Amino acid sequence: MSEHLHNGHRQRMRTRILTGGIGNLQEHEVLEYLLYSFIPRKDTNALAHTLIKEFGSLYDIFNAKPEHLQAVSGMTENAGLFLSVIGEIVRTYGLHPSVQKKVFLRNRGEVKEYFGRYFIGLNEEQFCAVALDAKCRVVGEKHWNSGNRTSVSFSVAEIISFAQATKAVEIIIAHNHPSGRLNPSNEDVRLTRNIVRTLDALGINLQDHLIFGDAAQKPFSFEEVGYFKEFKDEIIKFNEVFGNYE
C-alpha cells in the first residue's frame, strides 16, 4: 500500500469511529486501529487478521502473554505489550474505587455488566464479592486470586467477614471458569448453599452467584436457574422444624 493510500485508509478509519463509534467496527478493524500508534508505517489490517487467526478473538488476544503476541510476524515489542495489558487496564480502572462510589446495581443486566468487565481477559480462576447497601449501591468489593486455571481458595468465613465489615444488606458473588464451561461444579453448589445459609442467619441476602466464561458467553446465574429458591426453601423447612429449639 502506498504511503498516500495508507494514510488515507487510516483517516477513513478514524472518521468512521468519530461518526459511528468503535462498536460499529468488526473485530479485526478494532485491532487494526489499536495497532496504529505502535506500528505507524505498516498495513495493520493484514496483521490484525493474522492475530485473530492465530489467537481466535480479541478476547483471546487481550488474554495472551506479550511474548506470544510479539512472536507473530510483523508485531513489535511495544505493540505486544500494549495489547497484553488492555484486559488489566479495564479491570483496574473500570472498577476503580472513585467510580464504585457512584455505582448502583439495581437489575440483572447491571450486575452482569459490572462483573463482566472485571473478568475480561483473565486466564486464571478468580472469585469476587460485591457488597450492596439498602439502595443497591456498591459499598465494597473483594477479590480472591487463585494463581491457576482450575480453582480459587477462600472460606465462607471470609465472605461473612467482608459482609459484616461493609455493613452489607446484600451480597453478590461471582467467579470465572477459564475453560469456558459454565456449569457449576458440585463444590460450587455446596459452597453457594453454605454462603446462602450463613448470610441468611445474619439477616444478609445473597442476591446471586454468577459464573463467567469467555466474553461471548452469557454468564451462568444460580438465581435464574432456581438454585436460590431451592436453598431458601431448605432454610424455611429447617426453621419450621428447629426454629423453636434456639
Side-chain angles (χ1 to χ4, degrees):
M1 182 183 292
S2 71
E3 185 174 352
H4 174 72
L5 290 175
H6 176 71
N7 290 337
H9 174 72
R10 291 193 173 193
Q11 185 55 51
R12 287 191 294 274
M13 180 70 81
R14 294 186 183 101
T15 300
R16 287 178 61 193
I17 294 171
L18 285 171
T19 57
I22 199 80
N24 289 323
L25 302 184
Q26 298 181 52
E27 276 201 345
H28 74 275
E29 292 175 320
V30 172
L31 186 55
E32 175 188 352
Y33 174 72
L34 291 174
L35 291 169
Y36 282 173
S37 297
F38 297 90
I39 307 179
R41 289 180 291 276
K42 292 183 180 179
D43 177 15
T44 58
N45 180 279
L47 178 56
H49 280 287
T50 299
L51 286 166
I52 288 177
K53 182 178 180 180
E54 178 75 19
F55 292 93
S57 68
L58 277 179
Y59 176 90
D60 295 307
I61 290 168
F62 298 157
N63 191 31
K65 295 184 180 300
E67 59 267 28
H68 295 162
L69 293 166
Q70 292 160 9
V72 175
S73 178
M75 282 290 285
T76 64
E77 182 178 355
N78 284 339
L81 179 60
F82 170 68
L83 294 179
S84 71
V85 301
I86 287 178
E88 187 65 26
I89 289 171
V90 172
R91 291 192 295 275
T92 300
Y93 295 99
L95 299 175
H96 193 269
S98 64
V99 177
Q100 283 184 11
K101 293 177 183 178
K102 303 176 183 178
V103 171
F104 292 83
L105 302 180
R106 298 188 178 97
N107 57 59
R108 289 175 178 171
E110 291 176 348
V111 170
K112 290 176 181 178
E113 181 180 1
Y114 183 87
F115 280 101
R117 290 180 299 168
Y118 173 72
F119 289 111
I120 290 173
L122 289 178
N123 59 2
E124 61 183 35
E125 188 165 315
Q126 297 198 14
F127 184 92
C128 178
V130 166
L132 305 179
D133 65 13
K135 296 181 179 180
C136 297
R137 180 172 66 96
V138 174
V139 293
E141 183 174 310
K142 186 173 178 62
H143 304 279
W144 289 262
N145 301 322
S146 68
N148 63 66
R149 291 178 57 86
T150 58
S151 65
V152 58
S153 178
F154 66 94
S155 67
V156 175
E158 289 178 282
I159 300 290
I160 302 309
S161 177
F162 166 70
Q164 292 178 322
T166 57
K167 297 180 172 57
V169 173
E170 293 193 300
I171 295 288
I172 309 172
I173 59 176
H175 76 284
N176 64 317
H177 285 175
S179 67
R181 298 185 64 179
L182 293 183
N183 289 338
S185 66
N186 290 336
E187 179 61 16
D188 289 336
V189 175
R190 184 195 66 79
L191 182 65
T192 305
R193 177 185 280 109
N194 287 343
I195 295 172
V196 169
R197 289 175 174 175
T198 310
L199 286 175
D200 181 81
L202 297 172
I204 302 170
N205 180 51
L206 183 62
Q207 185 185 119
D208 204 351
H209 181 181
L210 300 169
I211 301 176
F212 286 81
D214 62 41
Q217 293 174 294
K218 177 183 176 182
F220 178 93
S221 163
F222 275 72
E223 194 277 331
E224 285 184 13
V225 302
Y227 272 111
F228 276 29
K229 183 180 184 305
E230 175 186 331
F231 298 157
K232 290 174 182 180
D233 284 346
E234 291 173 355
I235 293 171
I236 291 170
K237 290 178 181 178
F238 180 88
N239 290 338
E240 287 175 349
V241 175
F242 298 102
N244 294 327
Y245 295 88
E246 295 179 354

